[in-house]
Amino acid sequence: MKNKKMMVLAALAVFLILGIHATQKLFSGGQTTGANDSGATAHVDHPMNMPAAPGEGTGHEAPGPAAAVKEYYTCPMHPFVRKDKPGACPICGMTLVKKTVESGTGGSESLAGRRVVVSAAKQVLANVATSEAVKMPLVHDIRSAGTVEYAESNLRSISIRYPARIEKLYLTYTGERVRKGDPVADVYSPEAISAQKEYLLARESYNQARDEAAAISEDARNLLGHARDKLRLWGFTDGQIAGLDTTKQVREVVTFYSPVDGIVTQKNVQPQQYHEAGDDLYDIA
């Protein structure tokens, strides 16, 4: 009986030694091989003992550097005022407001640090609305009362060029359109009658002096030219001057014609009125 117990204990000891030896080989740093031709032995590293590459075999990325938080106090009205502790703005006296800025690697401010973040409750209190920035035409209709005026560069006047009494008007109301060469008024003027007589006398003198000496003929021609220029300056048309040449008759009532195109904006004349030279009869735009 005693011999059996000894045999059992010896067997248990053998199994225990074999188990320990197998465990050591399993977790050892390498294994031995047989001798090569030179009698040296080779050592092979176990894969479990090889250093893992960054990000391989660990199941997660290596954590990056934590973002630094920078706090300072600034004035809402003067953002360039920055202080490290609470206080009042040296410019306007307002209480400084605490601001927090997140900085990345190297201390530079991140994108989040350059944004103004307002909570939903503060947005409601401040009546702040946000929308996505899009490219679109900017159109805003404004309704307002105003007065339409004529462009000053387009304003003209029809004025009488010699003293005269108005016998008849061809433009009778404001807003009427007139074109260059349209009749404006029939006028009676002793000065205009005298100018026509001077022209007819100068014409007759020139006709008589054409066969005379050259000097006399030239003087008559100049006199006729001056009389013709006077009529033109007073508003007589080439057709009216040609009528004097043909009929040799002075017209007591002379028709005055418009020198411009436009619309009557102001009527300053009435029939049977007497006007001096330079008086504006109509304002035209």
Side-chain angles (χ1 to χ4, degrees):
M1 187 65 180
K2 186 176 181 180
N3 292 333
K4 290 182 179 182
K5 289 182 178 180
M6 293 296 294
M7 292 177 64
V8 172
L9 291 174
L12 290 174
V14 171
F15 284 118
L16 181 60
I17 292 171
L18 292 176
I20 293 173
H21 181 68
T23 302
Q24 289 179 349
K25 290 187 66 177
L26 181 62
F27 292 98
S28 63
Q31 61 181 4
T32 58
T33 60
N36 54 15
D37 295 340
S38 61
T41 59
H43 178 75
V44 180
D45 290 333
H46 195 276
M48 294 181 63
N49 292 332
M50 294 178 64
E56 295 181 359
T58 59
H60 62 277
E61 296 290 339
V69 177
K70 180 181 178 181
E71 295 181 351
Y72 63 92
Y73 294 85
T74 184
C75 175
M77 298 298 296
H78 306 92
F80 55 86
V81 176
R82 292 191 178 189
K83 292 192 175 182
D84 297 333
K85 57 184 179 179
C89 176
I91 299 177
C92 62
M94 293 183 62
T95 303
L96 299 180
V97 178
K98 182 179 179 181
K99 296 288 184 181
T100 302
V101 177
E102 293 185 0
S103 301
T105 306
S108 60
E109 294 185 356
S110 63
L111 180 61
R114 295 194 296 269
R115 294 185 301 173
V116 177
V117 181
V118 182
S119 64
K122 290 183 178 180
Q123 290 185 22
V124 175
L125 293 176
N127 194 21
V128 175
T130 60
S131 62
E132 182 180 357
V134 295
K135 185 177 180 181
M136 60 184 298
L138 183 61
V139 179
H140 181 61
D141 295 333
I142 300 177
R143 296 181 178 272
S144 177
T147 302
V148 178
E149 297 288 348
Y150 295 100
E152 293 185 5
S153 59
N154 295 332
L155 296 180
R156 300 288 186 274
S157 296
I158 298 178
S159 58
I160 190 70
R161 301 182 184 182
Y162 43 83
R165 184 182 71 238
I166 307 301
E167 298 293 332
K168 178 182 178 181
L169 291 176
Y170 292 94
L171 302 178
T172 57
Y173 60 90
T174 300
E176 187 173 357
R177 177 176 290 277
V178 60
R179 299 187 183 278
K180 184 176 181 179
D182 288 350
V184 174
D186 290 342
V187 299
Y188 169 78
S189 171
E191 285 78 359
I193 293 174
S194 297
Q196 294 178 77
K197 289 180 178 180
E198 290 176 5
Y199 175 77
L200 291 177
L201 288 175
R203 167 63 69 181
E204 185 177 356
S205 298
Y206 174 72
N207 291 336
Q208 293 176 356
R210 282 187 299 182
D211 298 332
E212 301 292 336
I216 299 175
S217 178
E218 184 66 22
D219 291 340
R221 183 183 296 105
N222 292 336
L223 182 63
L224 177 61
H226 291 322
R228 183 186 296 109
D229 291 340
K230 181 178 180 179
L231 291 178
R232 287 174 176 170
L233 290 174
W234 277 13
F236 282 77
T237 64
D238 291 339
Q240 289 175 311
I241 296 175
L244 286 174
D245 291 334
T246 302
T247 62
K248 305 292 191 299
Q249 297 292 327
V250 174
R251 296 180 62 87
E252 294 185 355
V253 177
V254 178
T255 302
F256 182 60
Y257 295 91
S258 173
V260 295
D261 296 333
I263 297 176
V264 178
T265 61
Q266 183 71 35
K267 179 171 172 286
N268 306 313
V269 61
Q270 296 295 337
Q272 304 305 315
Q273 285 183 342
Y274 186 85
H275 287 271
E276 295 292 340
D279 287 353
D280 292 338
L281 304 184
Y282 298 93
D283 293 335
I284 304 296

